[in-house]
Amino acid sequence: MRGSFLFNRRIEQRVRVLAISAVKSFKIKLLLCFCIALTVIVFSSSVSSIFLWNNHAPAPYYGPASRKGYSIVMNTWKRYDLLKQSIKHYSSCPRLDSVHIVWSELDPPSDSLLKYLHHVVKSTPKDGHRVKLKFDINKEDSLNNRFKEIKDLESDAVFSIDDDVIFPCSAVEFAFNVWQSAPDTMVGFVPRVHWVDYSKDGGSKFKYGGWWSVWWTGTYSMVLSKAAFFHKKYFILYTNQMPTSLKEYITKNRNCEDIAMSFLVANATGAPPIWVKGKIFEIGSTGISSLGGHSEKRSECVNRFASVFGRMPLVSTTVKAVDSQNIWFW
């Protein structure tokens, strides 16, 4: 009787061990399946984004054909290969009307460069209309040139872009849609933030924060003009109403013209910019933002500009525009 009881006890313990092992095995398999599925999703999303900006598939068209398009104003400086690559890409975007290249070099663009760019623009199919290409030649080398008034600019919408950054046409078209909903606002892909820094002695000053500050706080108050939409009227305001002392400071220090434009628009609207989330492709080498003391210099600009404006016009926000059709995770 005792032997039979021990035998049954051992069988019960063995069954329990097998059941526990089966449950653990099921959990491990379930976890592996989840990891594999997540890996496939991330990999497929990454692969598609890698080829998104230079594929041959037409970008989706948003809005009726009767609505006006936009003009690209591209700042460049002795990076002709990057300029060629950028113009070739953006010329294929559906609602692009014209491209204005801000040229501040001492020598004019070469005949070979002109010939190549005009050929690229003319050879890109645009559903019955041709993109106009123009070089805006400047005598002085100044970062303020990118915001000089353009007399023959036909479209109200301006997409200000540097020659070393590329966004898929679908992202540019989405940002253009967002701008059309708020045409007085700056709408861009590169957010930045400012805040008040209080010292121990009771004083305070403004600090400039880069991408990681935006990511950490979820807040921004600027979108940089290296990739942003705004109304062409701000070229007129910048040219005629931006304080001369600030434009001279920008020319001397070769920095902060983008912050100045953010100040100008915020001062005119009293509203924050709109950050559009989009995949950015840096095709050039690292710029001045990678140099030592960059944040300190930008903070100095914010404080100087606020002093000249007589107040802090920048408005912080946490709103972000996301194209849910093309982005997995919002």
Side-chain angles (χ1 to χ4, degrees), residues 233-299:
K233 65 184 178 183
Y234 293 119
F235 282 154
I236 301 174
L237 287 177
Y238 193 100
T239 302
N240 299 311
Q241 297 187 24
M242 179 64 72
T244 303
S245 62
L246 294 188
K247 288 194 284 189
E248 291 175 348
Y249 177 85
I250 290 167
T251 299
K252 180 181 178 180
N253 292 275
R254 298 192 64 81
N255 204 340
C256 300
E257 84 288 354
D258 47 1
I259 297 178
M261 178 56 86
S262 290
F263 266 71
L264 181 76
V265 177
N267 189 63
T269 63
I274 300 177
W275 168 26
V276 175
K277 186 175 181 180
K279 187 70 174 180
I280 182 173
F281 296 89
E282 302 270 3
I283 61 174
S285 57
T286 54
I288 60 174
S289 60
S290 62
L291 301 178
H294 176 69
S295 294
E296 289 76 12
K297 293 177 181 178
R298 304 279 277 184
S299 294

Side-chain angles (χ1 to χ4, degrees), residues 136-153:
D136 295 320
I137 308 297
N138 296 281
K139 296 180 181 180
E140 179 189 15
D141 175 21
S142 171
L143 289 176
N144 294 300
N145 291 339
R146 72 182 305 165
F147 300 138
K148 287 177 67 175
E149 180 182 358
I150 302 176
K151 300 289 187 180
D152 58 347
L153 197 59

Side-chain angles (χ1 to χ4, degrees), residues 130-315:
R130 183 172 295 174
V131 174
K132 299 176 183 179
L133 175 68
K134 183 179 179 181
F135 279 79
D136 295 320
I137 308 297
N138 296 281
K139 296 180 181 180
E140 179 189 15
D141 175 21
S142 171
L143 289 176
N144 294 300
N145 291 339
R146 72 182 305 165
F147 300 138
K148 287 177 67 175
E149 180 182 358
I150 302 176
K151 300 289 187 180
D152 58 347
L153 197 59
E154 297 179 359
S155 59
D156 290 337
V158 172
F159 183 43
S160 175
I161 188 78
D162 283 353
D163 60 2
D164 61 347
V165 290
I166 284 181
F167 293 88
C169 285
S170 57
V172 177
E173 294 292 308
F174 176 72
F176 181 40
N177 281 343
V178 175
W179 176 84
Q180 286 179 313
S181 70
D184 289 331
T185 307
M186 283 189 76
V187 175
F189 293 98
V190 186
R192 293 295 184 263
V193 67
H194 82 285
W195 66 88
V196 180
D197 185 41
Y198 296 97
S199 58
K200 294 181 180 179
D201 59 3
S204 64
K205 62 180 180 179
F206 295 109
K207 298 278 285 185
Y208 172 90
W211 161 246
W212 290 112
S213 297
V214 174
W215 178 83
W216 181 256
T217 63
T219 304
Y220 65 98
S221 55
M222 294 169 272
V223 290
L224 300 187
S225 57
K226 68 182 294 182
F229 276 96
F230 51 80
H231 198 284
K232 68 178 181 181
K233 65 184 178 183
Y234 293 119
F235 282 154
I236 301 174
L237 287 177
Y238 193 100
T239 302
N240 299 311
Q241 297 187 24
M242 179 64 72
T244 303
S245 62
L246 294 188
K247 288 194 284 189
E248 291 175 348
Y249 177 85
I250 290 167
T251 299
K252 180 181 178 180
N253 292 275
R254 298 192 64 81
N255 204 340
C256 300
E257 84 288 354
D258 47 1
I259 297 178
M261 178 56 86
S262 290
F263 266 71
L264 181 76
V265 177
N267 189 63
T269 63
I274 300 177
W275 168 26
V276 175
K277 186 175 181 180
K279 187 70 174 180
I280 182 173
F281 296 89
E282 302 270 3
I283 61 174
S285 57
T286 54
I288 60 174
S289 60
S290 62
L291 301 178
H294 176 69
S295 294
E296 289 76 12
K297 293 177 181 178
R298 304 279 277 184
S299 294
E300 181 181 340
C301 289
V302 172
N303 284 280
R304 179 180 290 266
F305 294 174
S307 176
V308 173
F309 271 73
R311 68 188 189 94
M312 169 50 73
L314 298 178
V315 180

